[in-house]
PDB file of all heavy atoms in Angstrom:
ATOM      1  N   ALA A  66     -43.014 -49.531-147.906  1.00  0.00           N
ATOM      2  CA  ALA A  66     -42.308 -50.612-148.585  1.00  0.00           C
ATOM      3  C   ALA A  66     -42.041 -51.764-147.619  1.00  0.00           C
ATOM      4  O   ALA A  66     -41.795 -51.557-146.428  1.00  0.00           O
ATOM      5  CB  ALA A  66     -40.995 -50.107-149.162  1.00  0.00           C
ATOM      6  N   LEU A  68     -39.779 -53.925-146.083  1.00  0.00           N
ATOM      7  CA  LEU A  68     -38.327 -53.947-145.905  1.00  0.00           C
ATOM      8  C   LEU A  68     -37.773 -55.356-145.752  1.00  0.00           C
ATOM      9  O   LEU A  68     -36.555 -55.552-145.774  1.00  0.00           O
ATOM     10  CB  LEU A  68     -37.944 -53.100-144.684  1.00  0.00           C
ATOM     11  CG  LEU A  68     -38.270 -51.611-144.771  1.00  0.00           C
ATOM     12  CD1 LEU A  68     -37.781 -50.898-143.520  1.00  0.00           C
ATOM     13  CD2 LEU A  68     -37.660 -50.980-146.015  1.00  0.00           C
ATOM     14  N   GLU A 134     -38.553 -42.855-142.608  1.00  0.00           N
ATOM     15  CA  GLU A 134     -37.427 -43.376-143.383  1.00  0.00           C
ATOM     16  C   GLU A 134     -36.070 -43.046-142.777  1.00  0.00           C
ATOM     17  O   GLU A 134     -35.134 -43.855-142.803  1.00  0.00           O
ATOM     18  CB  GLU A 134     -37.489 -42.854-144.826  1.00  0.00           C
ATOM     19  CG  GLU A 134     -38.520 -43.542-145.706  1.00  0.00           C
ATOM     20  CD  GLU A 134     -39.894 -42.927-145.593  1.00  0.00           C
ATOM     21  OE1 GLU A 134     -40.126 -42.108-144.668  1.00  0.00           O
ATOM     22  OE2 GLU A 134     -40.759 -43.252-146.414  1.00  0.00           O
ATOM     23  N   ALA A 135     -35.907 -41.836-142.236  1.00  0.00           N
ATOM     24  CA  ALA A 135     -34.597 -41.439-141.696  1.00  0.00           C
ATOM     25  C   ALA A 135     -34.162 -42.331-140.544  1.00  0.00           C
ATOM     26  O   ALA A 135     -32.957 -42.472-140.277  1.00  0.00           O
ATOM     27  CB  ALA A 135     -34.645 -39.979-141.242  1.00  0.00           C
ATOM     28  N   LYS A 136     -35.106 -42.964-139.880  1.00  0.00           N
ATOM     29  CA  LYS A 136     -34.761 -43.842-138.759  1.00  0.00           C
ATOM     30  C   LYS A 136     -34.106 -45.138-139.216  1.00  0.00           C
ATOM     31  O   LYS A 136     -33.496 -45.840-138.398  1.00  0.00           O
ATOM     32  CB  LYS A 136     -36.012 -44.153-137.938  1.00  0.00           C
ATOM     33  CG  LYS A 136     -36.500 -42.981-137.100  1.00  0.00           C
ATOM     34  CD  LYS A 136     -37.596 -43.408-136.131  1.00  0.00           C
ATOM     35  CE  LYS A 136     -37.897 -42.311-135.131  1.00  0.00           C
ATOM     36  NZ  LYS A 136     -38.898 -42.726-134.126  1.00  0.00           N
ATOM     37  N   VAL A 137     -34.278 -45.480-140.502  1.00  0.00           N
ATOM     38  CA  VAL A 137     -33.651 -46.694-141.021  1.00  0.00           C
ATOM     39  C   VAL A 137     -32.653 -46.349-142.131  1.00  0.00           C
ATOM     40  O   VAL A 137     -32.363 -47.154-143.010  1.00  0.00           O
ATOM     41  CB  VAL A 137     -34.699 -47.714-141.530  1.00  0.00           C
ATOM     42  CG1 VAL A 137     -35.497 -48.265-140.369  1.00  0.00           C
ATOM     43  CG2 VAL A 137     -35.622 -47.095-142.579  1.00  0.00           C
ATOM     44  N   GLY A 138     -32.138 -45.117-142.085  1.00  0.00           N
ATOM     45  CA  GLY A 138     -31.101 -44.725-143.022  1.00  0.00           C
ATOM     46  C   GLY A 138     -31.575 -44.476-144.439  1.00  0.00           C
ATOM     47  O   GLY A 138     -30.775 -44.486-145.368  1.00  0.00           O
ATOM     48  N   ARG A 139     -32.856 -44.223-144.587  1.00  0.00           N
ATOM     49  CA  ARG A 139     -33.396 -43.948-145.916  1.00  0.00           C
ATOM     50  C   ARG A 139     -34.027 -42.568-145.931  1.00  0.00           C
ATOM     51  O   ARG A 139     -34.028 -41.845-144.935  1.00  0.00           O
ATOM     52  CB  ARG A 139     -34.400 -45.029-146.311  1.00  0.00           C
ATOM     53  CG  ARG A 139     -33.779 -46.415-146.318  1.00  0.00           C
ATOM     54  CD  ARG A 139     -34.632 -47.432-147.032  1.00  0.00           C
ATOM     55  NE  ARG A 139     -33.970 -48.733-147.093  1.00  0.00           N
ATOM     56  CZ  ARG A 139     -34.414 -49.744-147.836  1.00  0.00           C
ATOM     57  NH1 ARG A 139     -35.518 -49.615-148.553  1.00  0.00           N
ATOM     58  NH2 ARG A 139     -33.750 -50.890-147.855  1.00  0.00           N
ATOM     59  N   VAL A 140     -34.577 -42.186-147.085  1.00  0.00           N
ATOM     60  CA  VAL A 140     -35.253 -40.895-147.217  1.00  0.00           C
ATOM     61  C   VAL A 140     -36.580 -41.115-147.938  1.00  0.00           C
ATOM     62  O   VAL A 140     -36.739 -42.102-148.670  1.00  0.00           O
ATOM     63  CB  VAL A 140     -34.383 -39.873-147.986  1.00  0.00           C
ATOM     64  CG1 VAL A 140     -33.160 -39.492-147.178  1.00  0.00           C
ATOM     65  CG2 VAL A 140     -33.967 -40.423-149.347  1.00  0.00           C
ATOM     66  N   PRO A 141     -37.562 -40.222-147.758  1.00  0.00           N
ATOM     67  CA  PRO A 141     -38.874 -40.382-148.397  1.00  0.00           C
ATOM     68  C   PRO A 141     -38.812 -40.060-149.887  1.00  0.00           C
ATOM     69  O   PRO A 141     -39.214 -38.987-150.339  1.00  0.00           O
ATOM     70  CB  PRO A 141     -39.767 -39.385-147.637  1.00  0.00           C
ATOM     71  CG  PRO A 141     -39.005 -39.001-146.413  1.00  0.00           C
ATOM     72  CD  PRO A 141     -37.557 -39.104-146.798  1.00  0.00           C
TER      73      PRO A 141
END
Side-chain angles (χ1 to χ4, degrees):
L68 297 182
E134 283 86 348
K136 287 190 169 183
V137 292
R139 301 195 176 190
V140 292

